[in-house]
Amino acid sequence: MPDDFQITITGCGHIGKLLAQQLLKKNVRVTGHVSSDSSLAECRSRNIACEIIELDKPLADIDLSGQRVIYLAPPPRTGKTDSRMTNYLQAIASYPPEKFVLISTTGVYGDCQGAWIDESTPLNPVADRAFRRADAEKQVQQFCQRLDIPLLILRVPGIYGPGKIPLARIKSGLAIVNAEDSPFTNRIHSADLVDVCERALLDDDITGIYNVTDGNPGTMYEYFTGVAAAMNLPAPPAISLQEAQQQLSEGMLSYMAESRRIGNKKLLEDFKITLKYPRLQDGLKHLS
């Protein structure tokens, strides 16, 4: 790896900060892009070089020449397109990176009625948030194809780990859908996701689309009750799906409307990586 090798993390939030710290320990130069003063201060407190960019409006040119970028910034909160990605790609077009890694979501597959799926499964977004992610994928694919930039799209499901569990929700006593009605869901531990992101950035040969899951899907019921048990908290009350229609938020109901099981064979084979936490019960032992 050349001495002047540099990574830019656009959207340096929870996962971005963990990734930056891991890369810095290996003497990789890292710069972060954040959207707020508080994020800027937190990055600097961790010795992560950082600057603020406002993705919601047109940007001045950003020079990423000779760098590799990983884009973790969320899309806008509304609509079916990702205007932030549009602004970002316009800003880096004159001085593009030598490799682009995009963090997307497994939500782009939509509802698969609990079936096992892989990277060959057609996109079928249902929720607006998934449409925005699919739009971001399309924009980046066209951008990288036009400029001949190696591209990796990592489709990520629910992330859990230290500082990334629904503690407040569980402590509040909000109900969850019972085991019988709970849809299948997929997860990845934050430590494993960071390892995958590092490999995606530093490996010269890996490109394409990958589902970044632990390969052992469960149900939302198993997840919430598992986290509660791991934190020595009472299990949330369980209700039927019919009751949930009256009690749960629109956002939570939108997740309940989708069910899929996602394998990770392609990820494990091509990345030649061994996950630290291949099962939820493994990861729940390391939440602090």
Side-chain angles (χ1 to χ4, degrees), residues 45 114-115:
S45 72

Side-chain angles (χ1 to χ4, degrees), residues 85-214:
M85 180 62 77
T86 304
N87 290 336
Y88 184 72
L89 295 179
Q90 289 175 347
I92 68 173
S94 296
Y95 308 98
E98 65 176 27
K99 186 173 188 179
F100 199 119
V101 179
L102 171 65
I103 302 300
S104 185
T105 173
T106 53
V108 295
Y109 296 113
D111 181 26
C112 301
Q113 300 181 341
W116 280 95
I117 66 169
D118 61 20
E119 290 83 355
S120 67
T121 301
L123 302 196
N124 185 31
V126 176
D128 282 358
R129 63 176 181 277
F131 274 102
R132 294 191 287 270
R133 296 288 192 171
D135 178 67
E137 286 192 15
K138 182 178 179 181
Q139 288 190 55
V140 175
Q141 285 171 325
Q142 292 174 343
F143 178 86
C144 290
Q145 184 175 15
R146 177 167 56 88
L147 297 177
D148 195 26
I149 299 170
L151 170 64
L152 252 169
I153 295 176
L154 304 179
R155 292 178 179 155
V156 179
I159 305 166
Y160 75 104
K164 196 74 174 171
I165 53 174
L167 263 188
R169 191 185 192 284
I170 291 172
K171 287 180 177 179
S172 73
L174 284 172
I176 58 173
V177 173
N178 61 32
E180 294 77 18
D181 294 334
S182 188
F184 282 107
T185 186
N186 303 268
R187 294 168 293 270
I188 188 70
H189 192 282
S190 55
D192 286 323
L193 176 57
V194 168
D195 285 346
V196 169
C197 290
E198 178 188 324
R199 180 68 61 86
L201 285 163
L202 301 186
D203 194 291
D204 289 331
D205 300 321
I206 303 175
T207 59
I209 297 173
Y210 292 86
N211 294 324
V212 186
T213 79
D214 63 17

